[in-house]
Amino acid sequence: MNRTWWALGAAALAVGCTQEQQNQFGRGVQNWTGTNGVLEIYAGDKVVRRFVRVDKLSTAIGTSDNESRAYRYGYGVLDENLNFVADPGEKKVYFEVGGYGSYVFFENPR
């Protein structure tokens, strides 16, 4: 019976939340489950930037027109030495990637 009340309460809260609040909750759950993405940005065939511990890439949406923008954004640790590890001193940062650039997003193999 206790589980039923908890489920009903959670459902009521979800209905009352805005879409952004629901998205933030979903990102929290995704982070908790251990998503460990890598974003590599290329100049030609060379990796020029790498971000590790990326939970997800989001597509920007216009506030007034609700249209998708031509870039992605997210948070991750800037892997300055390109070793796939968040070393001491490497910080978590916000990033944006142009929709027309060369990049690859994948799960960290380590």
Side-chain angles (χ1 to χ4, degrees):
M1 186 69 172
N2 192 18
R3 289 183 189 172
T4 304
W5 285 110
W6 187 88
L8 287 172
L13 285 173
V15 169
C17 294
T18 65
Q19 183 65 44
E20 180 55 29
Q21 289 168 327
Q22 291 175 17
N23 289 345
Q24 288 174 350
F25 175 76
R27 284 192 295 270
V29 170
Q30 187 177 29
N31 288 339
W32 178 73
T33 59
T35 300
N36 189 19
V38 176
L39 174 70
E40 291 183 334
I41 302 172
Y42 292 84
D45 62 346
K46 181 179 180 186
V47 175
V48 293
R49 290 279 185 271
R50 180 179 290 144
F51 298 91
V52 296
R53 293 188 184 170
V54 178
D55 61 343
K56 74 179 224 177
L57 288 180
S58 296
T59 302
I61 303 291
T63 304
S64 58
D65 62 6
N66 207 29
E67 296 290 323
S68 294
R69 300 295 188 237
Y71 68 93
R72 311 287 181 260
Y73 66 92
Y75 290 89
V77 176
L78 177 60
D79 185 11
E80 294 180 29
N81 58 5
L82 304 175
N83 68 349
F84 285 100
V85 176
D87 295 313
E90 294 178 336
K91 303 207 185 278
K92 186 171 188 174
V93 297
Y94 170 83
F95 60 81
E96 294 179 2
V97 181
Y100 307 108
S102 296
Y103 62 91
V104 178
F105 182 62
F106 56 95
E107 185 176 357
N108 194 335
R110 293 184 178 204

